[in-house]
Each structure stands twice: as C-alpha cells, then as structure tokens.
C-alpha cells in the first residue's frame, strides 16, 4: 500500500477556528474518496478533539498536535515572523518543511502566512519577492486560473513567465485540464500593445523554449469567457481585476435581489423560479472555489478564506490534496529550470555574438 | 438671446452611419430641452437628408456639411492622420478647432479619432501622450467616473493627477455632482500599498495644493459600491478593470438567462417577474451610459460606441452638450495650472532650500 498523503492543517486559523477546520475535514471526506489521506491538526487539543467528536472523526484520520500559541488575525507579518514560532500556523508550515506533510492549509492571517511560508520554505521561483496567489475564476467553460491576484506589485517579464509556469501546472493538477492554454492579460491582442514587461514576456513565451500551450494576449472580458485556461498578470492588475469582478458580481446580485423583491408580483415570480435561481447562485458561490495556493514556494501551502464555511474549507483541502498527489512540483521545477537556461545563453552563442559585433 | 450651442457630428462614423447619428439627434431632442442646441452634420448630404426626413428634423436644427470622404473603421491611426483630411471625422473635429462648434461627437474608429483629435486640437494636459477616456460606471449610488480606461499605458504620478483633475470636472459637469470625491485605485488602503506612481500621486493629492475632494486609495470592489465619485487609474489597469467588469456582467446575465429558461416552471416565474427584471436590466444597459469623452484636449470630443443605438448616441450627445455648457474647460485649465505651479517651486523656497543644505 502506498504511504498516506498527510495534509497539515492550522486548526486555529480563520474567523471560526477548529469548528470550520474540522468541519472542513468532514466535508472533504464526505465528497471525495478519502482513501490514503490523513490530517495533522495543529492547535488547541481540547477544542480540536471536541470538534472531532461532533464530526465523528477519529485518530485514524486526524493526528492532533497540541499548541496553545496562535497568530492573531490582525498581527503584522514582521511581528508574526519574530514571535510566531511554535504557533499553529508556524507548525502547520514546518511539517511541510520537514517533509512530514505533503501540503499545508491555513485560513489564518494572509500576511503572516505568506511571511512564515517564505521564511520556512523559501522561494523556488527566484524572480518572485513573495508567493503568488492564484484565483479559480468561474467562467462559461468551467474555471480559469488567474494569477497573480495580489502579492507581487509590478512584475517584470521573468516573473510573468514564472506565473505562467506555475499557473499551468496548477490548472492541470487541480482542474484536470490536460494541456491548459495560457494567455497574458493585456489591453489588446496585437503584438505592440501594452507595456514593455508584457511584450517581453509575450516574445519569450512565443519562442517556445518553455513547453506551454501559449495562446497570446487576452483582454479583461476574456477571463469570464474562458478564452484560455490560465490568465497571467502582475499582482497589481490581477488584484484589481479580481476585486472589480467581485464588486460587479455583488452589484448585479444586489440589483437582482432588489428587482425580485420589488413588489408582490415580482416576489411570486421569484418564488416560482427559485430552484433555478439557486442552481445559478451555486455556480458563483465563493465557497465552491475557496482555496488559493501560495505558488512559488518549495512546498505546497493553500490559503483558505478566513470566513469560509466547512464546505469552503473542504474545497481548500481538496486543492491541497490534488496538488500534493500530482506532478505539480516536478513540472514547475523542470520549467523553472528551462527558464533559467534561457536567461544564460550557451557559451557558443555568446562567442558567436562577439564575433559578429 | 444667448448664441446657440453648436455640436459637430461625424455623421458617417460607427457601424450604422447616418441612421444612428440622425436618430441620436432625434432621441436627444425627445429626452432633453433642445432649446439653444443646434447640430452640424458632416458626411454624405443625400444620406443625411434622407434620415432627417425620416426623423422629421429640419435645417432649423441640423446644418449639413457635405463630404464624401470617410475614415474606414479599420484604418490605422497613422494612415488616418495622413489621408483623413476632409473626411467626416476630420471635419467634425476641425469645427471645434476653429471655434465654430462647442463640441464634437463621433462613433468612428477610436484610434483615428484619438490621433486626429490630438493632431488638430493638441493636448492641454502636458503629461498625457494621448487623450484619456472616462467610463461612466453604474454603481449602487449612481454613476462613478473611472479613468483612464484605455489610452495611456503606464502612467506616472503627474498623469494620474491630471486624470483626477479632469475626472472631477467631468463628474461635476455631466453627472451633476457638486463636490465629487476622488479616489486612487490601488490594492489596499494603507499609505505604503501599491507601486511608486500611485504612492507619489497619493502624497501630492493629500497635500491639498489642488482643490479636489480627495478620499485616498480605493480598491477594485469600491468602484461598483460607489465609494467615491471619481476613480483614477492608469490606462492599462483601467482598461482591464472595465473589460473584466463587462465580462463579469455578461457572464452573470448569461447564467441568469440560462436559469430562467431552464424549464417550464422557471420560465413561468421569469414571465411573472419580467417587468421587474426589465427595470433591473435598464440600470446596466450600456446604451444608457454610452459616450466617453476624450479628456485632456484643447476642446471637447466625445466618443460614442460604434455599435450604439440611437438611444445610446443620444446619450453621447447629451454628454457633449453638458460638457460644452459647463465650466468644465475653465476648471480643468485652472487646476492644470495649479499642478504645473506645484512642480516649479517658487524662487523663495528654492533659496531657502539651498541655505539649509
């Protein structure tokens, strides 16, 4: 029998702590084949065991590691790095570092999680300052991976290509897309559009030195259309695009709610159409797509939303398991190696260049 | 009696030419008090007069200037500048340059309109390479002006402040907001968030040397919330945010349509709720917000969407009239002057600086 996949959980992170984390384990096991998956839960043992009892989970599935130290949701990253050692968040990541666990999940403080993950695991993608965050964006054709949505402001061409490599491997591992197509987010599709960084990344990706299924430039409205499987952009633009889309979705949902409660006749219509409207709402439910991996680290770390439900946390666990059991890390490593090789021209080529100058 | 406000129209621009342009004049006059507004229509006289007859518009309202030259919708900007002289688009802008018309509207080729407007009118905002485009974004509280949504890639702090000055004057002239609040689009609200350009613009706007009602940083989801009246960003981010929002709106509308036609019961509910749903759709109808002025020129030019309906074109005319009749140009001129003065420290201050160094 293959050794089990061990997932390390920060049981104290998030707005609701162990109730959602343990509830998330239960949700995961109810929806997926849990064969060969075990969990390491870091945090207050009594609180965790109480939730395990409520969810009828035993030590056969959950291994509890007590600590009473917790990183607060509002703690500054620098402070969390200095004082966080031994906390549930720290220990969850450390289990990945030592190789005991295959992946970690935390719904804790994002800044602290980034900082501690980077400190303990180190970056594997040398161009990145911080781990990149990928969003699974619902589209007419399924899910598109969009990255970076928040961590790296002002990305150069090398960073953008690192995002492309990691996003492609993520999409294939988590959403099961065999040869994901990759697009670079820009303001038009012609080669001369956009700023230097996107044009340079575009030129390198088109060359074909890195084996990606590169589509070319895409525009903002291509994201929801599902034109490509992976959309690559810098963290500034990606964060603004994601929050703008969330704001737009909330605005339209609000208008719809307002319209369907605007009078007795509208309410009657809404009541009759309710099952169909509920199925529609499920398509864009944030809990169905919860779980953003921090990409670019030497190890798998998945961030759950702090306010996620057990269903949402269960989905973050699924993403961690899928990444851990796939060839994600190997594929990213191989392609980052190809990128590094592209940057160091072979000695022969250099000599040739000198001769001609 | 005051002299009439003359609006110059490129009657051949757009996907439908004179039928939508003349139809737009009729729509405008049916919705607004046309007292003192007259139109100069540039293009094929016979085609224009046929549409005027259909719409029962006379020479008392429309002055026709014949030309059989037209800039094609797919003509490159450089080519349009070289060969566009005497075309309906060119003549529409030239009437603003000579002072005959107070503003111009065109649904023609955007790149050509930008290039010819810049060539004939010149930029009034010295930091801008190209005119900025402002979008009127529907929000829970009315309309927010967002700029630049497409023309200027990679804006420095000075450009961002020019956008703030022009957007504020636009919002006040067109949407009637007395003291519009202005926000800078960023990935967080703290002072140290974002790249150098937004942080520098933030510092200058906070200083208060330019009399704007500056709110501070806003995030992507603040746009649809209507947190501020004017959202300022570079043309790259603004274009992507706008198209992402359009794509999201289209995606959700598609899901809604799918849900409400998914079976006989859902269809019945939709039928009953239809009047309320139609009122909702009107809130986000692109034709109700059609018309993007090209800001930063020495003159008023409004771009209509190429595929706009007569209703949409009528709205673009309304924007041109409102800008022409307001203190927009004077206010922008005064504030651009203040910005220039901020950049050249007064001699006394310079001397003081030298003494202390």
């Amino acid at each position: 029998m293959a050794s089990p996949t061990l997932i390390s959980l920060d049981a104290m992170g998030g707005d609701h702590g162990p109730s959602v984390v343990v509830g998330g384990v239960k949700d995961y096991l109810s929806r997926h084949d849990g064969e060969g998956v075990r969990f390491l839960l870091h945090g207050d043992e009594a609180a965790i065991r109480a939730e395990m009892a409520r969810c009828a989970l035993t030590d056969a599935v959950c291994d509890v590691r007590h600590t009473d130290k917790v990183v607060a949701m509002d703690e500054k990253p620098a402070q969390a790095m200095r004082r966080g050692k031994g906390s549930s968040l720290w220990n969850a990541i450390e289990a990945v570092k030592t190789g005991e666990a295959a992946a970690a999940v935390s719904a804790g403080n994002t800044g602290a999680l980034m900082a501690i993950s980077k400190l303990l695991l180190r970056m594997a993608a040398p161009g990145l300052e911080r781990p990149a965050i990928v969003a699974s964006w619902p589209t007419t054709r399924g899910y598109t991976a969009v990255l970076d949505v928040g961590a790296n402001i002002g990305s150069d061409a090398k960073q953008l290509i690192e995002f492309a490599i990691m996003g492609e491997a993520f999409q294939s591992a988590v959403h099961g897309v065999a040869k994901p197509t990759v697009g670079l987010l820009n303001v038009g599709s012609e080669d001369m559009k956009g700023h230097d960084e996107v044009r340079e990344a575009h030129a390198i990706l088109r060359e074909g030195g890195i084996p990606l299924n590169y589509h070319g430039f895409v525009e903002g409205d291509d994201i929801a259309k599902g034109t490509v499987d992976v959309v690559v952009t810098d963290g500034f633009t990606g964060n603004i695009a994601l929050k703008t889309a969330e704001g737009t979705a909330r605005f339209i949902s609000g208008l719809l709610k307002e319209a369907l409660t605007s009078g007795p006749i509208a309410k009657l219509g809404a009541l009759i159409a309710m099952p169909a409207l509920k199925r529609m709402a499920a398509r864009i439910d944030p809990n169905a797509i919860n779980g953003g991996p921090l990409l670019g680290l030497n190890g798998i770390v998945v961030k759950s939303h702090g306010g996620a439900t057990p269903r949402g946390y269960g989905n973050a666990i699924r993403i961690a398991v899928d990444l851990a059991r796939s060839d994600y890390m190997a594929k990213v490593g191989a392609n980052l190696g190809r990128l590094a090789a592209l940057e160091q021209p072979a000695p022969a080529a250099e000599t040739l260049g000198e001769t001609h100058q």
Side-chain angles (χ1 to χ4, degrees), chain A:
Chain A
M1 204 182 93
S3 65
T5 303
L6 196 59
I7 308 293
S8 176
L9 306 176
D10 166 15
M12 311 311 282
D15 301 343
H16 311 290
S19 69
V20 159
V21 174
V22 177
V25 171
K26 191 185 173 191
D27 178 274
Y28 172 79
L29 294 171
S30 73
R31 290 172 189 273
H32 304 277
D33 174 18
E35 178 74 35
V37 182
R38 291 195 71 240
F39 299 91
L40 254 184
L41 288 92
H42 303 269
D44 183 278
E45 179 155 10
I48 294 170
R49 292 214 171 270
E51 292 297 332
M52 282 170 63
R54 197 176 56 81
C55 293
L57 293 171
T58 68
D59 286 12
V61 172
C62 297
D63 190 347
V64 183
R65 299 281 169 89
H66 177 76
T67 174
D68 44 23
K69 202 165 172 183
V70 170
V71 172
M73 289 301 273
D74 58 355
E75 207 159 324
K76 292 260 173 278
Q79 200 179 355
M81 278 167 77
R82 276 198 315 274
R83 308 202 310 207
K85 193 167 183 181
S87 64
S88 61
L89 192 162
W90 183 290
N91 292 355
I93 306 301
E94 197 157 50
V96 174
K97 185 192 177 186
T98 61
E100 185 183 13
V105 180
S106 174
N109 178 332
T110 308
L113 180 63
M114 288 250 178
I116 291 172
S117 298
K118 187 181 163 184
L119 178 73
L120 295 181
L121 299 173
R122 306 271 161 204
M123 300 306 296
L128 300 190
E129 262 179 87
R130 294 182 195 83
I133 298 181
V134 57
S136 291
W137 197 298
T139 76
T140 51
R141 300 176 54 216
Y143 294 102
T144 287
V146 182
L147 75 164
D148 179 20
V149 295
N152 294 276
I153 301 295
S155 300
D156 62 16
K158 187 185 173 195
Q159 279 193 355
L160 291 171
I161 295 169
E162 289 175 351
F163 296 157
I165 289 171
M166 300 186 304
E168 193 254 3
F170 164 82
Q171 184 72 359
S172 154
V174 170
H175 296 300
V177 180
K179 286 244 167 218
T181 51
V182 177
L184 262 178
L185 194 58
N186 200 351
V187 298
S189 55
E190 303 87 355
D191 284 356
M192 79 283 189
K193 288 273 183 177
H195 47 58
D196 294 348
E197 292 79 7
V198 289
R199 278 185 285 130
E200 196 188 324
H202 177 67
I204 296 170
L205 287 169
R206 262 196 331 191
E207 281 297 315
I210 298 154
L212 295 179
N213 193 354
Y214 181 59
H215 168 93
F217 289 138
V218 294
E219 299 190 56
D221 52 345
D222 286 308
I223 306 175
K225 270 187 208 162
T227 305
V228 290
D229 298 310
V230 180
V231 171
V232 169
T233 188
D234 66 273
F236 186 82
T237 310
N239 178 281
I240 287 172
L242 179 66
K243 287 188 181 157
T244 299
E246 287 172 348
T248 304
R250 216 171 291 133
F251 171 59
I252 296 178
S253 304
L255 287 182
L256 182 60
K257 206 167 192 173
E258 203 182 294
L260 294 179
T261 54
S262 57
I265 294 181
K267 278 182 192 167
L268 174 65
L271 191 68
I272 294 171
M274 195 49 74
L277 291 171
K278 280 199 169 149
R279 280 196 304 275
M280 170 200 159
R283 283 279 297 277
I284 49 173
D285 174 12
N287 280 300
I289 52 171
N290 180 52
L294 306 189
L295 302 182
L297 295 161
N298 290 309
I300 296 165
V301 178
V302 176
K303 168 77 176 86
S304 163
H305 195 284
T309 60
R311 162 93 171 82
Y313 201 92
N315 198 57
I317 291 174
R318 177 186 73 85
I319 290 175
V321 172
D322 285 353
L323 284 174
R325 289 183 158 180
S326 71
D327 63 349
Y328 170 80
M329 291 298 288
K331 199 170 171 188
V332 167
N335 278 333
L336 289 177
R338 285 193 186 92
L339 176 60
L342 285 183
E343 288 170 332
Q344 297 175 318
E350 248 174 12
T351 314
L352 202 67
E354 276 162 24
T355 316
H356 282 261
Q357 266 158 18

